[in-house]
Amino acid sequence: MRDWFAARTWQSPEWTVEELVRAKGGRAVSVVLPALDEERTVGAVVAAVLPLVGGLVDELVVVDSGSRDDTVRVAREAGARVVRRTDVLADLPPWPGKGEVLWRSLAATSGDLVVFLDSDLVDPDPGFVPALLGPLLSTSGVHLVKGFYRRPLHEAAAGGGRVTELAARPLLNALRPELAGVVQPLGGEYAGTREFFESVPFAAGYGVEVGLLLDACDRYGLAGIAQVNLGVRRHRNRSLHDLGPMARQVVGTVLRRCGVPTTSDTLTRFVPVAGEWVPDPVDVLVADRPPLRSVCQRSR
Ligand SMILES: O=c1ccn([C@@H]2O[C@H](COP(=O)(O)OP(=O)(O)O[C@H]3O[C@H](CO)[C@@H](O)[C@H](O)[C@H]3O)[C@@H](O)[C@H]2O)c(=O)[nH]1
Ligand SMILES: O=C(O)[C@H](O)COP(=O)(O)O
């Protein structure tokens, strides 16, 4: 783990966009923003990437996850191509969740390299995409690049990443210690090769990132994974009540990938009702979509 950390961690990425464009050669880059009810933030995330389109980036797609607000209109007006989750693989009814739309986005894009960015970023940094592409374009054998960052929590300068710190990283340390050097295993800002993304299953919900990390390690070894410091990443902080099901999906995905059997996909939360605490069980989907390559053989 220490050797990998030293060799595959970029603490101060210094690639210029011009250098990266030269390094691209004939390769194309797709940037994908998954979005569910992000009308307040998606426009700024699109605007942060748009200046790169036509140079470092070949296509910018917002993949809508069934938003009920104005996400689709805002994203379009900001300059992105918008794909609804039912527009691709239309014969498969969509499952709920983030991983589902990331999986479908592969069928809606064609880049050899794919960059994923969350669309709930606040003050999105235009440097994220170049930095995430740096290790892929400069180092052979890298197939997955994870961003890492300082994470504010509400008004505090740090303390964010509660599921990461209290569930995901402790679990990985216990079950897959070789991955203990990954700073942000759940981070939604990452890039990879299409070859990799199309060849592995995608967990349909919030387990998608940790599933991809484990699958990249199994497929390519640690040398196929890199991480890059993106500075600061601020996003909409959800309540603990909302984070419980996310953590349950992450835990379920890790256990499944590590061959640990689970007997239920439920999370029981507790809510106060008239002065008493009562159980409030919620079903959590822990399921994988198969490798996209096995579902649709596309010619490029
Ligand atoms: O059903 C969904 C749920 C979320 N999203 C989008 O996915 C992104 C991240 O979702 P969010 O609910 O904001 O997750 P976070 O609280 O930010 O969770 C963190 O941890 C998750 C679990 O690993 C990762 O999926 C996230 O990318 C990461 O930011 C946002 O753009 C959402 O709009 C969808 O498109 N569909
Ligand atoms: O990545 C995480 O751990 C979750 O998205 C929670 O993040 P937050 O604590 O910054 O809201």
Side-chain angles (χ1 to χ4, degrees):
M1 185 282 273
R2 281 177 190 279
D3 289 349
W4 170 80
F5 189 90
R8 287 282 191 261
T9 303
W10 276 264
Q11 300 278 3
S12 314
E14 279 165 8
W15 301 282
T16 65
V17 171
E18 294 69 32
E19 282 167 351
L20 295 172
V21 170
R22 279 197 297 276
K24 259 175 85 177
R27 289 172 287 185
V29 172
S30 305
V31 176
V32 171
L33 278 44
L36 177 62
D37 295 331
E38 305 291 10
E39 63 180 9
R40 282 178 304 161
T41 49
V42 70
V45 185
V46 170
V49 181
L50 209 54
L52 298 169
V53 176
L56 184 58
V57 172
D58 297 277
E59 62 177 342
L60 167 57
V61 174
V62 170
V63 54
D64 184 72
S65 185
S67 298
R68 298 202 174 153
D69 70 0
D70 245 354
T71 294
V72 169
R73 182 184 61 78
V74 171
R76 254 190 208 130
E77 287 182 6
R81 173 157 75 92
V82 178
V83 172
R84 289 189 166 87
R85 59 185 175 170
T86 44
D87 292 344
V88 272
L89 305 173
D91 45 336
L92 289 177
W95 291 353
K98 179 188 178 188
E100 173 77 5
V101 291
L102 296 188
W103 182 70
R104 283 173 187 260
S105 79
L106 297 176
T109 56
S110 59
D112 306 285
L113 306 176
V114 182
V115 183
F116 293 120
L117 300 179
D118 283 354
S119 52
D120 68 329
L121 298 178
V122 177
D123 295 332
D125 184 335
F128 279 14
V129 169
L132 288 167
L133 288 168
L136 283 169
L137 293 173
S138 67
T139 311
S140 68
V142 172
H143 284 268
L144 177 67
V145 181
K146 297 289 297 182
F148 65 93
Y149 15 61
R150 173 166 64 79
R151 301 188 57 172
L153 179 63
H154 302 300
E155 304 313 316
R162 290 162 288 171
V163 177
T164 303
E165 300 304 327
L166 302 175
R169 292 205 308 99
L171 252 183
L172 289 173
N173 275 257
L175 295 173
R176 295 293 297 271
E178 69 272 29
L179 287 168
V182 179
V183 185
Q184 293 290 339
L186 304 188
E189 291 67 40
Y190 53 104
T193 59
R194 177 169 294 273
E195 176 191 331
F196 165 56
F197 287 137
E198 287 197 358
S199 65
V200 288
F202 271 51
Y206 286 115
V208 61
E209 280 79 24
V210 79
L212 288 171
L213 183 66
L214 289 161
D215 290 342
C217 190
D218 288 346
R219 204 170 180 81
Y220 304 110
L222 275 179
I225 302 170
Q227 58 185 353
V228 60
N229 187 355
L230 300 180
V232 182
R233 183 256 215 174
R234 189 184 293 277
H235 72 149
R236 172 223 324 99
N237 299 112
R238 294 190 181 279
S239 65
L240 278 181
H241 190 78
D242 287 344
L243 291 182
M246 174 193 289
R248 181 66 187 81
Q249 284 184 320
V250 168
V251 167
T253 302
V254 173
L255 294 179
R256 178 181 285 215
R257 292 287 192 284
C258 294
V260 180
T262 55
T263 48
S264 120
D265 283 343
T266 301
L267 176 74
T268 300
R269 296 179 288 189
F270 294 87
V271 290
V273 177
E276 295 185 356
W277 286 88
V278 297
D280 177 27
V282 55
D283 282 332
V284 175
L285 178 68
V286 181
D288 287 338
R289 285 299 197 179
L292 189 78
R293 196 171 287 165
S294 69
V295 173
C296 66
Q297 291 289 347
R298 294 174 314 123
S299 55
R300 273 192 296 278

